PDB file of all heavy atoms in Angstrom:
ATOM      1  N   ALA T  42       6.494   3.451   3.243  1.00  0.00           N
ATOM      2  CA  ALA T  42       5.749   4.475   2.506  1.00  0.00           C
ATOM      3  C   ALA T  42       6.238   5.875   2.894  1.00  0.00           C
ATOM      4  O   ALA T  42       5.935   6.847   2.206  1.00  0.00           O
ATOM      5  CB  ALA T  42       4.255   4.345   2.787  1.00  0.00           C
ATOM      6  N   GLY T  43       6.987   5.976   3.984  1.00  0.00           N
ATOM      7  CA  GLY T  43       7.603   7.242   4.368  1.00  0.00           C
ATOM      8  C   GLY T  43       6.630   8.235   4.990  1.00  0.00           C
ATOM      9  O   GLY T  43       5.435   7.964   5.107  1.00  0.00           O
ATOM     10  N   PRO T  44       7.152   9.402   5.386  1.00  0.00           N
ATOM     11  CA  PRO T  44       6.324  10.386   6.102  1.00  0.00           C
ATOM     12  C   PRO T  44       5.345  11.143   5.207  1.00  0.00           C
ATOM     13  O   PRO T  44       4.422  11.789   5.708  1.00  0.00           O
ATOM     14  CB  PRO T  44       7.353  11.348   6.696  1.00  0.00           C
ATOM     15  CG  PRO T  44       8.549  11.222   5.810  1.00  0.00           C
ATOM     16  CD  PRO T  44       8.564   9.804   5.311  1.00  0.00           C
ATOM     17  N   TYR T  45       5.552  11.077   3.897  1.00  0.00           N
ATOM     18  CA  TYR T  45       4.730  11.912   3.005  1.00  0.00           C
ATOM     19  C   TYR T  45       3.818  11.075   2.114  1.00  0.00           C
ATOM     20  O   TYR T  45       3.416  11.491   1.032  1.00  0.00           O
ATOM     21  CB  TYR T  45       5.632  12.828   2.166  1.00  0.00           C
ATOM     22  CG  TYR T  45       6.570  13.636   3.018  1.00  0.00           C
ATOM     23  CD1 TYR T  45       7.948  13.541   2.874  1.00  0.00           C
ATOM     24  CD2 TYR T  45       6.064  14.471   4.013  1.00  0.00           C
ATOM     25  CE1 TYR T  45       8.811  14.275   3.694  1.00  0.00           C
ATOM     26  CE2 TYR T  45       6.912  15.203   4.842  1.00  0.00           C
ATOM     27  CZ  TYR T  45       8.277  15.107   4.665  1.00  0.00           C
ATOM     28  OH  TYR T  45       9.113  15.820   5.478  1.00  0.00           O
ATOM     29  N   VAL T  46       3.487   9.886   2.604  1.00  0.00           N
ATOM     30  CA  VAL T  46       2.621   8.968   1.862  1.00  0.00           C
ATOM     31  C   VAL T  46       1.312   9.641   1.430  1.00  0.00           C
ATOM     32  O   VAL T  46       0.740   9.323   0.389  1.00  0.00           O
ATOM     33  CB  VAL T  46       2.344   7.694   2.700  1.00  0.00           C
ATOM     34  CG1 VAL T  46       1.728   8.031   4.052  1.00  0.00           C
ATOM     35  CG2 VAL T  46       1.471   6.706   1.960  1.00  0.00           C
ATOM     36  N   HIS T  47       0.872  10.623   2.217  1.00  0.00           N
ATOM     37  CA  HIS T  47      -0.417  11.269   1.918  1.00  0.00           C
ATOM     38  C   HIS T  47      -0.415  12.005   0.580  1.00  0.00           C
ATOM     39  O   HIS T  47      -1.448  12.126  -0.051  1.00  0.00           O
ATOM     40  CB  HIS T  47      -0.778  12.234   3.043  1.00  0.00           C
ATOM     41  CG  HIS T  47      -0.553  11.632   4.390  1.00  0.00           C
ATOM     42  ND1 HIS T  47       0.525  11.964   5.180  1.00  0.00           N
ATOM     43  CD2 HIS T  47      -1.217  10.663   5.055  1.00  0.00           C
ATOM     44  CE1 HIS T  47       0.492  11.259   6.287  1.00  0.00           C
ATOM     45  NE2 HIS T  47      -0.547  10.447   6.241  1.00  0.00           N
ATOM     46  N   ILE T  48       0.742  12.535   0.185  1.00  0.00           N
ATOM     47  CA  ILE T  48       0.813  13.214  -1.113  1.00  0.00           C
ATOM     48  C   ILE T  48       0.273  12.308  -2.201  1.00  0.00           C
ATOM     49  O   ILE T  48      -0.467  12.730  -3.084  1.00  0.00           O
ATOM     50  CB  ILE T  48       2.269  13.594  -1.451  1.00  0.00           C
ATOM     51  CG1 ILE T  48       2.683  14.793  -0.646  1.00  0.00           C
ATOM     52  CG2 ILE T  48       2.422  13.900  -2.945  1.00  0.00           C
ATOM     53  CD1 ILE T  48       4.048  15.300  -1.033  1.00  0.00           C
ATOM     54  N   GLY T  49       0.654  11.037  -2.117  1.00  0.00           N
ATOM     55  CA  GLY T  49       0.288  10.115  -3.178  1.00  0.00           C
ATOM     56  C   GLY T  49      -1.048   9.441  -2.976  1.00  0.00           C
ATOM     57  O   GLY T  49      -1.772   9.191  -3.938  1.00  0.00           O
ATOM     58  N   LEU T  50      -1.384   9.111  -1.714  1.00  0.00           N
ATOM     59  CA  LEU T  50      -2.520   8.228  -1.476  1.00  0.00           C
ATOM     60  C   LEU T  50      -3.623   8.864  -0.626  1.00  0.00           C
ATOM     61  O   LEU T  50      -4.653   8.233  -0.402  1.00  0.00           O
ATOM     62  CB  LEU T  50      -2.034   6.926  -0.822  1.00  0.00           C
ATOM     63  CG  LEU T  50      -0.895   6.179  -1.551  1.00  0.00           C
ATOM     64  CD1 LEU T  50      -0.584   4.863  -0.848  1.00  0.00           C
ATOM     65  CD2 LEU T  50      -1.204   5.921  -3.020  1.00  0.00           C
ATOM     66  N   ALA T  51      -3.402  10.067  -0.148  1.00  0.00           N
ATOM     67  CA  ALA T  51      -4.413  10.747   0.684  1.00  0.00           C
ATOM     68  C   ALA T  51      -4.220  12.244   0.496  1.00  0.00           C
ATOM     69  O   ALA T  51      -3.797  12.950   1.411  1.00  0.00           O
ATOM     70  CB  ALA T  51      -4.250  10.351   2.145  1.00  0.00           C
ATOM     71  N   LEU T  52      -4.532  12.738  -0.692  1.00  0.00           N
ATOM     72  CA  LEU T  52      -4.100  14.070  -1.114  1.00  0.00           C
ATOM     73  C   LEU T  52      -4.544  15.189  -0.175  1.00  0.00           C
ATOM     74  O   LEU T  52      -3.748  16.083   0.147  1.00  0.00           O
ATOM     75  CB  LEU T  52      -4.576  14.351  -2.548  1.00  0.00           C
ATOM     76  CG  LEU T  52      -3.705  13.714  -3.651  1.00  0.00           C
ATOM     77  CD1 LEU T  52      -3.785  12.204  -3.654  1.00  0.00           C
ATOM     78  CD2 LEU T  52      -4.055  14.274  -5.015  1.00  0.00           C
ATOM     79  N   HIS T  53      -5.786  15.148   0.271  1.00  0.00           N
ATOM     80  CA  HIS T  53      -6.271  16.260   1.110  1.00  0.00           C
ATOM     81  C   HIS T  53      -5.550  16.305   2.454  1.00  0.00           C
ATOM     82  O   HIS T  53      -5.420  17.359   3.053  1.00  0.00           O
ATOM     83  CB  HIS T  53      -7.787  16.166   1.297  1.00  0.00           C
ATOM     84  CG  HIS T  53      -8.223  14.990   2.109  1.00  0.00           C
ATOM     85  ND1 HIS T  53      -8.245  13.711   1.611  1.00  0.00           N
ATOM     86  CD2 HIS T  53      -8.620  14.897   3.402  1.00  0.00           C
ATOM     87  CE1 HIS T  53      -8.669  12.890   2.556  1.00  0.00           C
ATOM     88  NE2 HIS T  53      -8.891  13.564   3.643  1.00  0.00           N
ATOM     89  N   VAL T  54      -5.059  15.146   2.915  1.00  0.00           N
ATOM     90  CA  VAL T  54      -4.317  15.114   4.182  1.00  0.00           C
ATOM     91  C   VAL T  54      -2.986  15.858   4.035  1.00  0.00           C
ATOM     92  O   VAL T  54      -2.520  16.532   4.952  1.00  0.00           O
ATOM     93  CB  VAL T  54      -4.089  13.654   4.642  1.00  0.00           C
ATOM     94  CG1 VAL T  54      -3.164  13.595   5.852  1.00  0.00           C
ATOM     95  CG2 VAL T  54      -5.421  12.983   4.953  1.00  0.00           C
ATOM     96  N   ALA T  55      -2.392  15.760   2.848  1.00  0.00           N
ATOM     97  CA  ALA T  55      -1.127  16.453   2.584  1.00  0.00           C
ATOM     98  C   ALA T  55      -1.343  17.934   2.336  1.00  0.00           C
ATOM     99  O   ALA T  55      -0.387  18.705   2.358  1.00  0.00           O
ATOM    100  CB  ALA T  55      -0.435  15.818   1.381  1.00  0.00           C
ATOM    101  N   GLY T  56      -2.596  18.327   2.099  1.00  0.00           N
ATOM    102  CA  GLY T  56      -2.880  19.715   1.742  1.00  0.00           C
ATOM    103  C   GLY T  56      -2.914  19.951   0.242  1.00  0.00           C
ATOM    104  O   GLY T  56      -2.887  21.088  -0.216  1.00  0.00           O
ATOM    105  N   LEU T  57      -2.985  18.869  -0.509  1.00  0.00           N
ATOM    106  CA  LEU T  57      -3.051  18.981  -1.974  1.00  0.00           C
ATOM    107  C   LEU T  57      -4.508  19.002  -2.428  1.00  0.00           C
ATOM    108  O   LEU T  57      -5.370  18.404  -1.784  1.00  0.00           O
ATOM    109  CB  LEU T  57      -2.384  17.763  -2.627  1.00  0.00           C
ATOM    110  CG  LEU T  57      -0.865  17.745  -2.755  1.00  0.00           C
ATOM    111  CD1 LEU T  57      -0.411  16.364  -3.236  1.00  0.00           C
ATOM    112  CD2 LEU T  57      -0.385  18.799  -3.747  1.00  0.00           C
ATOM    113  N   PRO T  58      -4.792  19.685  -3.554  1.00  0.00           N
ATOM    114  CA  PRO T  58      -6.155  19.610  -4.093  1.00  0.00           C
ATOM    115  C   PRO T  58      -6.468  18.178  -4.527  1.00  0.00           C
ATOM    116  O   PRO T  58      -5.590  17.467  -5.024  1.00  0.00           O
ATOM    117  CB  PRO T  58      -6.110  20.552  -5.303  1.00  0.00           C
ATOM    118  CG  PRO T  58      -4.676  20.734  -5.636  1.00  0.00           C
ATOM    119  CD  PRO T  58      -3.894  20.491  -4.381  1.00  0.00           C
ATOM    120  N   GLU T  59      -7.728  17.774  -4.325  1.00  0.00           N
ATOM    121  CA  GLU T  59      -8.104  16.414  -4.713  1.00  0.00           C
ATOM    122  C   GLU T  59      -8.461  16.367  -6.192  1.00  0.00           C
ATOM    123  O   GLU T  59      -8.834  17.373  -6.791  1.00  0.00           O
ATOM    124  CB  GLU T  59      -9.289  15.947  -3.879  1.00  0.00           C
ATOM    125  CG  GLU T  59      -8.917  15.775  -2.421  1.00  0.00           C
ATOM    126  CD  GLU T  59      -9.978  15.022  -1.652  1.00  0.00           C
ATOM    127  OE1 GLU T  59     -10.964  15.658  -1.266  1.00  0.00           O
ATOM    128  OE2 GLU T  59      -9.815  13.798  -1.457  1.00  0.00           O
ATOM    129  N   ARG T  60      -8.338  15.189  -6.752  1.00  0.00           N
ATOM    130  CA  ARG T  60      -8.728  14.967  -8.139  1.00  0.00           C
ATOM    131  C   ARG T  60     -10.225  14.654  -8.184  1.00  0.00           C
ATOM    132  O   ARG T  60     -10.872  14.576  -7.147  1.00  0.00           O
ATOM    133  CB  ARG T  60      -7.895  13.814  -8.718  1.00  0.00           C
ATOM    134  CG  ARG T  60      -6.399  14.155  -8.727  1.00  0.00           C
ATOM    135  CD  ARG T  60      -5.526  12.932  -8.864  1.00  0.00           C
ATOM    136  NE  ARG T  60      -5.586  12.075  -7.677  1.00  0.00           N
ATOM    137  CZ  ARG T  60      -4.676  11.151  -7.370  1.00  0.00           C
ATOM    138  NH1 ARG T  60      -3.641  10.951  -8.157  1.00  0.00           N
ATOM    139  NH2 ARG T  60      -4.793  10.414  -6.283  1.00  0.00           N
TER     140      ARG T  60
END
Side-chain angles (χ1 to χ4, degrees):
Chain T
Y45 306 121
V46 57
H47 315 104
I48 284 186
L50 307 184
L52 280 67
H53 67 284
V54 172
L57 279 172
E59 293 193 279
R60 298 162 292 199

